[in-house]
Amino acid sequence: MPATRHSPLAASSLVLGMMSGTSADGIDTALVKISGAPPHLKFRLLDHSHQSFPPQLRKEILRVAEQNPLTPGEFSQLHARLGYIYAEAALDACKKFRISRKSIDLIGNHGQTIFHQGPSPSRSPLVTRHSPIPSTLQLGDGSIIANLTGITTVSDFRPADMALGGQGAPLVPFADYALYRHPKLGRVGLNIGGIANITVIPANAKPSDVFAFDTGPGNMLIDALVQHFTDGRLCYDKNARLARRGHLNRPLLERLLRDPYFKFSPPKSTGREYFGATYVKELLALARRQQIKPNDILHTVTIFTALSMAEALYRFILPKHNIRQLIVSGGGAQNPLLMSQLTALLSPSSVRTQHAAPNLGKVLASSPMRRFSPIEVLPSTNFHIPTDAKEALAFAILAYETFHHRPAHIPTATGARRPAILGKICYPPPRSQAQR
C-alpha cells in the first residue's frame, strides 16, 4: 500500500531510485526492496532500467550546465519539463518491471545537476573561477513527479549537507558502506560517471571510519572530446575504439597531471564547473599548439583519467589504510582501456604498467605510487550490482531514510559538521483523487 503523508511505510517497502548524472545521457531507475533501519538496514535490487534523454533535451541540459546564459522563464521551463520526464520514466519503469504503480511506496529522485560548487577552493590553471558561496542545483520538480505518478517523492538531497559545511557530495557512500563493508578486507568503491568519486571503507569499518571524495574527471573529458572530434555523431568512446587507435603523449599527460585539484586534500568535490567546456576548450588549444592528433589526445586523456583516480588512492588512502579491493561502477566501468589502466596502475609490477601504457612508467618515477600491495580491481557486477544501477539504488535508500526522518549521509565523507536529514518530500494528491 503506498504511503501517504499520514501513514508510515510498511515493514518492507518498494522504492524507485532515479539518477541522471553529470554526463546527462539519461535516467537510470532502480527498483529496490528495503526494510529495517541502520545498522540493520536491508535492501535488495529487484530490477533496473535506463531511459535516454532526447538529444535536444540533453543538448539543452549541457548548455545550461556549462553556465551559458538563460532567462528565468527558460530555467523554469527546464525544471518543470524534467519533472514531467522523470515522472514518465518512473511510470515506464513500472511497466517494464511489470509492477503496478500502486505497489510503489516511494520515489527517490536525484535530479539533474546543472551547478555544483563545494566549499573547497577549486581553481584549475586552465580555468579561472570564483564562487564565494557553496551551492548546488539539481533540476526536476519533485511536486510534478509526485502528482503525476501518485507516489510520494523525495528529491533535492544535497543542499542540507552543504548547509552544514559539507561538500554535498558524494552521497553514495551511505549505500557503499552497506554494500561493501567487510570484517577483514579494506575496500574502495569507485563510481566513474561524468565525475569519478571514491568511497573508502576500511576493514570492519564503523560509519565514522568511512570517507569519500571526488577524484576528478570520470567520463566527462573523454565524452566531450569524442563529441567534438565527431561533430556530435558520437556521444562517448564505445569500447575505447578511438582512444585505442592513439598513442600516449607524455608532455600533455604531464601537463594535465599538474592540475592543483589533484593535490587538494579531501573532503573535496568537483563538477562540470571545473572540468567542463571551458577546461576542454583550453585542453584542445594546448593540444593544437603541440600538434597532437585527435586519437592521441583521446588516448592520453583516457590514461590521465585513470591515473588521476589511482593517484588519489596512492596519495590520500593507501598511506593510512590497507585496501585490498577496488569495486568499480558507473559508465566508465565499461571502458576497457580505462579499466585496464586502473588494473595496471594498482599492480605492483612496473613492467605491467609500462606494457599497458608505453612510457607511463617514466611519468610515475617521481610519483608516490610505490611500496603498496596490489589491489584487485572488480566491477560491481561481481557483487550483483549492475555497473549502471548503483547510484539509482543509492538514491532509493537515501529516500527511504529521509522518509523515516533519519540522516542518510556520512559526514566524514562530505565534511559536514554533523548529520543531516537530506532532501525534500513532495506528496501526491489525496488518495481518493490520485490519478490511477
Side-chain angles (χ1 to χ4, degrees):
M1 178 181 296
T4 71
R5 71 186 71 191
H6 302 298
S7 63
L9 297 183
S12 178
S13 303
L14 290 178
V15 184
L16 287 180
M18 306 183 74
M19 178 70 194
S20 52
T22 50
S23 294
D25 55 353
I27 304 167
D28 294 313
T29 303
L31 176 63
V32 188
K33 185 177 183 179
I34 311 176
S35 61
H40 304 294
L41 186 68
K42 296 179 181 180
F43 55 90
R44 182 160 61 97
L45 177 67
L46 302 180
D47 212 333
H48 73 286
S49 67
H50 177 83
Q51 178 175 309
S52 297
F53 283 137
Q56 188 57 38
L57 177 63
R58 182 175 188 268
K59 183 177 180 181
E60 185 175 356
I61 291 170
L62 294 178
R63 181 181 73 84
V64 175
E66 296 292 358
Q67 309 310 301
N68 289 297
L70 78 163
T71 67
E74 290 172 325
F75 176 88
S76 177
Q77 286 285 302
L78 183 58
H79 183 47
R81 190 180 314 138
L82 281 167
Y84 281 96
I85 287 173
Y86 288 124
E88 180 183 3
L91 295 175
D92 286 348
C94 287
K95 292 178 183 177
K96 179 182 177 182
F97 304 155
R98 296 185 178 180
I99 187 168
S100 168
R101 77 173 90 173
K102 299 176 186 178
S103 300
I104 304 298
D105 296 290
L106 197 62
I107 291 174
N109 179 50
H110 171 267
Q112 180 61 55
T113 298
I114 62 165
F115 184 81
H116 184 89
Q117 176 64 64
S120 295
S122 54
R123 294 186 180 181
S124 166
L126 300 182
V127 184
T128 300
R129 295 291 190 206
H130 178 65
S131 182
I133 301 175
S135 65
T136 187
L137 188 58
Q138 286 75 44
L139 298 187
D141 193 325
S143 294
I144 291 176
I145 300 169
N147 281 277
L148 292 185
T149 62
I151 303 169
T152 300
T153 299
V154 185
S155 60
D156 206 19
F157 291 88
R158 299 188 185 276
D161 180 270
M162 299 184 81
L164 295 175
Q167 295 281 335
L171 298 181
V172 171
F174 187 88
D176 284 339
Y177 177 74
L179 282 167
Y180 301 139
R181 180 184 180 275
H182 192 280
K184 296 182 180 180
L185 294 179
R187 288 170 166 168
V188 169
L190 168 64
N191 190 79
I192 310 175
I195 294 295
N197 56 72
I198 55 176
T199 303
V200 184
I201 311 166
N204 201 33
K206 302 185 294 293
S208 59
D209 297 325
V210 175
F211 67 100
F213 57 95
D214 291 346
T215 63
N219 304 313
M220 185 173 289
L221 297 181
I222 300 169
D223 291 352
L225 290 169
V226 168
Q227 291 168 53
H228 172 79
F229 291 134
T230 65
D231 293 323
R233 292 190 302 275
L234 299 177
C235 293
Y236 67 101
D237 191 9
K238 185 176 183 179
N239 295 323
R241 290 172 184 165
L242 299 177
R244 282 174 154 175
R245 297 173 189 167
H247 300 88
L248 183 72
N249 183 283
R250 182 181 168 189
L252 177 61
L253 177 62
E254 291 178 325
R255 175 68 176 82
L256 295 173
L257 288 171
R258 289 201 295 270
D259 193 298
Y261 179 81
F262 305 121
K263 295 181 175 61
F264 294 154
S265 296
K268 59 181 179 177
S269 62
T270 189
R272 197 170 288 279
E273 304 74 33
Y274 193 101
F275 291 107
T278 303
Y279 189 100
V280 171
K281 181 179 178 180
E282 294 299 324
L283 190 161
L284 288 168
L286 179 65
R288 279 195 296 271
R289 289 195 294 271
Q290 298 181 24
Q291 298 182 323
I292 307 173
K293 297 178 181 178
N295 286 344
D296 293 346
I297 298 173
L298 278 169
H299 185 95
T300 301
V301 169
T302 302
I303 302 301
F304 157 69
T305 300
L307 187 52
S308 68
M309 301 170 193
E311 181 80 18
L313 284 163
Y314 284 103
R315 184 180 298 278
F316 300 116
I317 299 168
L318 296 185
K320 298 179 181 179
H321 301 281
N322 181 19
I323 300 299
R324 303 303 299 273
Q325 293 179 332
L326 179 73
I327 303 166
V328 187
S329 60
Q334 299 174 38
N335 183 314
L337 180 58
L338 199 56
M339 291 294 286
S340 68
Q341 290 305 306
L342 276 172
T343 300
L345 288 163
L346 298 177
S347 164
S349 170
S350 61
V351 173
R352 287 179 60 190
T353 300
Q354 291 182 50
H355 176 73
N359 299 322
L360 190 54
K362 297 179 182 178
V363 177
L364 302 179
S366 60
S367 166
M369 298 185 182
R370 57 185 183 273
R371 306 184 307 277
F372 300 109
S373 300
I375 297 174
E376 187 178 15
V377 179
L378 302 167
S380 63
T381 49
N382 285 28
F383 297 82
H384 309 292
I385 304 296
T387 56
D388 56 354
K390 193 191 78 171
E391 288 196 301
L393 179 152
F395 280 94
I397 296 170
L398 267 58
Y400 178 88
E401 290 299 283
T402 294
F403 191 86
H404 286 90
H405 310 285
R406 295 191 292 256
H409 66 153
I410 297 179
T412 51
T414 65
R417 293 187 293 272
R418 57 184 181 272
I421 298 174
L422 307 181
K424 300 176 177 67
I425 302 176
C426 296
Y427 295 98
R431 174 174 294 185
S432 61
Q433 302 173 29
Q435 185 179 2
R436 298 297 181 183

